[in-house]
């Protein structure tokens, strides 16, 4: 399937809210994360893995994901999680699919249906040219938020020290720089990063990622920009009707 949408942006920019809004469209899948791509793209960007390897890995992962989704395999049944099937607009269908027969009919269903698989991702736009190398056809809704609010949220979440301390729950690709552990965000700027305090590190990382996202977008030609919709978190709060119409046109789905 090429019916994929990534709800992307820096961490703490309000993507969970946007994912939930997308559930208002009948053709959108339940919310899923795709952490493997967020681990592999930085490795590819810094020549730690080949294009052929990451491309094959991602295609296999996505194909298995779509197939298993139609059989209600590997889904989240926790009531309060963002990715729970109970947050979807068709949770009853997941229970029906538990008795579905395994086989090629599942693939036929996927080809015939209009379902759009939605994933929440982080920082895809910061390495977007590398992402394009993978040949994955996907629309991207890129969410931006006031930097002051985003950076404050980073600081409260502990992102000024969790990478340095190798927090096993950080979920971010880390690199070794001499005796220091650094997030991939700051590769090429290691000496500056290690001298900063917690708040300064949050500001520094945020601004690096934001700059990379804008630069990557500005380098794209018109056709490639057409598969990316830029939204602001604050606009979603202030004028949700207008933003939902934008999303509806972008994804070509009914409101």
């Amino acid at each position: 399937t090429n019916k994929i949408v990534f709800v992307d942006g820096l961490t703490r920019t309000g993507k969970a809210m946007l994912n939930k809004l997308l559930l208002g469209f009948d053709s959108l899948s339940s919310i899923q994360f795709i952490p493997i791509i967020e681990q592999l793209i930085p490795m590819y960007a810094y020549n730690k893995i080949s294009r052929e390897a990451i491309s094959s890995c991602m295609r296999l992962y996505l194909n298995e994901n779509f197939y298993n989704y139609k059989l209600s395999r590997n889904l989240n049944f926790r009531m309060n999680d963002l990715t729970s099937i109970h947050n979807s607009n068709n949770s009853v269908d997941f229970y029906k699919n538990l008795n579905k027969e395994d086989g090629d009919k599942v693939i036929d269903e996927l080809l015939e249906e209009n379902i759009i698989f939605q994933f929440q991702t982080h920082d895809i736009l910061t390495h977007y040219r590398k992402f394009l190398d993978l040949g994955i056809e996907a629309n991207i809704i890129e969410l931006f938020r006031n930097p002051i609010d985003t950076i404050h949220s980073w600081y409260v979440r502990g992102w000024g020290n969790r990478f340095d301390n190798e927090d096993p729950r950080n979920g971010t690709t880390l690199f070794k720089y001499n005796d220091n552990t650094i997030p991939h965000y700051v590769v090429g700027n290691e000496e500056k990063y290690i001298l900063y305090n917690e708040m300064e590190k949050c500001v520094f990382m945020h601004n690096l990622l934001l700059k990379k996202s804008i630069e990557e977008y500005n380098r794209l030609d018109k056709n490639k920009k057409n598969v990316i919709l830029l939204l602001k978190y604050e606009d979603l709060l202030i004028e949700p009707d207008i933003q939902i119409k934008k999303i509806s046109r972008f994804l070509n789905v009914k409101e």
Side-chain angles (χ1 to χ4, degrees):
T1 180
N2 60 4
K3 300 169 185 176
I4 304 169
V5 59
F6 291 157
V7 174
D8 189 60
L10 307 190
T11 187
R12 313 302 293 170
T13 51
K15 295 185 295 296
M17 181 184 73
L18 178 52
N19 278 122
K20 288 182 180 180
L21 285 175
L22 292 182
L23 292 175
F25 298 111
D26 290 339
S27 53
L28 270 289
S29 75
S30 65
I31 303 163
Q32 300 181 75
F33 291 129
I34 186 168
I36 189 171
I37 198 170
E38 297 171 21
Q39 307 296 337
L40 292 178
I41 285 184
M43 296 181 193
Y44 174 46
Y46 298 115
N47 301 314
K48 302 298 183 183
I49 187 173
S50 71
R51 185 193 66 80
E52 291 80 5
I54 184 177
S55 179
S56 296
C57 182
M58 283 310 308
R59 287 177 177 279
L60 285 168
Y61 176 87
L62 287 170
N63 283 335
E64 287 185 6
N65 177 284
F66 302 144
Y67 182 82
N68 289 331
Y69 185 92
K70 292 300 297 179
L71 293 172
S72 295
R73 284 180 179 151
N74 305 330
L75 297 177
N76 185 355
F77 286 81
R78 287 171 56 86
M79 294 296 295
N80 296 321
D81 283 1
L82 178 67
T83 56
S84 171
I85 65 161
H86 303 290
N87 280 330
S88 72
N89 52 22
N90 59 343
S91 57
V92 174
D93 290 344
F94 291 115
Y95 289 96
K96 292 179 180 177
N97 289 342
L98 290 171
N99 295 317
K100 185 175 289 184
E101 215 172 301
D102 197 354
D104 290 342
K105 287 184 179 180
V106 178
I107 298 174
D108 294 336
E109 284 183 26
L110 280 167
L111 294 172
E112 293 169 5
E113 288 184 347
N114 291 319
I115 186 171
I116 300 174
F117 288 91
Q118 67 159 317
F119 297 92
Q120 184 184 126
T121 58
H122 298 80
D123 312 317
I124 295 295
L125 191 57
T126 63
H127 291 298
Y128 191 63
R129 283 173 297 169
K130 290 295 185 180
F131 172 78
L132 289 175
D133 286 349
L134 309 186
I136 298 170
E137 295 183 27
N139 290 317
I140 294 181
I141 302 178
E142 188 73 15
L143 194 60
F144 294 91
R145 187 179 182 182
N146 186 307
I148 294 173
D149 294 327
T150 307
I151 291 167
H152 176 260
S153 184
W154 281 34
Y155 180 72
V156 171
R157 292 280 289 181
W159 294 125
N161 61 40
R162 290 175 65 183
F163 300 129
D164 307 19
N165 297 331
E166 301 183 14
D167 179 352
R169 293 181 60 247
N170 77 76
T172 300
T173 300
L174 305 176
F175 288 90
K176 279 292 185 184
Y177 178 74
N178 297 329
D179 295 328
N180 302 285
T181 301
I182 61 167
H184 69 87
Y185 310 143
V186 299
V187 170
N189 296 276
E190 298 90 347
E191 290 293 339
K192 290 181 180 179
Y193 174 81
I194 61 179
L195 294 176
Y196 290 143
N197 63 34
E198 289 183 33
M199 175 56 81
E200 289 169 338
K201 285 179 178 177
C202 290
V203 174
F204 186 62
M205 288 187 291
H206 172 276
N207 290 350
L208 278 176
L209 291 172
L210 184 60
K211 183 181 179 182
K212 284 182 180 179
S213 297
I214 294 170
E215 288 176 345
E216 286 285 309
Y217 182 79
N218 286 337
R219 288 191 183 105
L220 300 175
D221 61 34
K222 184 178 179 181
N223 289 333
K224 289 186 171 63
K225 285 181 178 178
N226 285 338
V227 300
I228 302 175
L229 176 65
L230 306 181
L231 295 180
K232 294 180 182 178
Y233 172 79
E234 291 78 13
D235 289 344
L236 284 170
L237 295 179
I238 296 169
E239 48 182 29
D241 289 352
I242 294 174
Q243 302 308 310
I244 288 171
K245 288 183 186 299
K246 285 184 183 178
I247 296 168
S248 175
R249 291 194 296 269
F250 177 66
L251 295 178
N252 193 26
V253 292
K254 293 182 179 179
E255 292 182 48

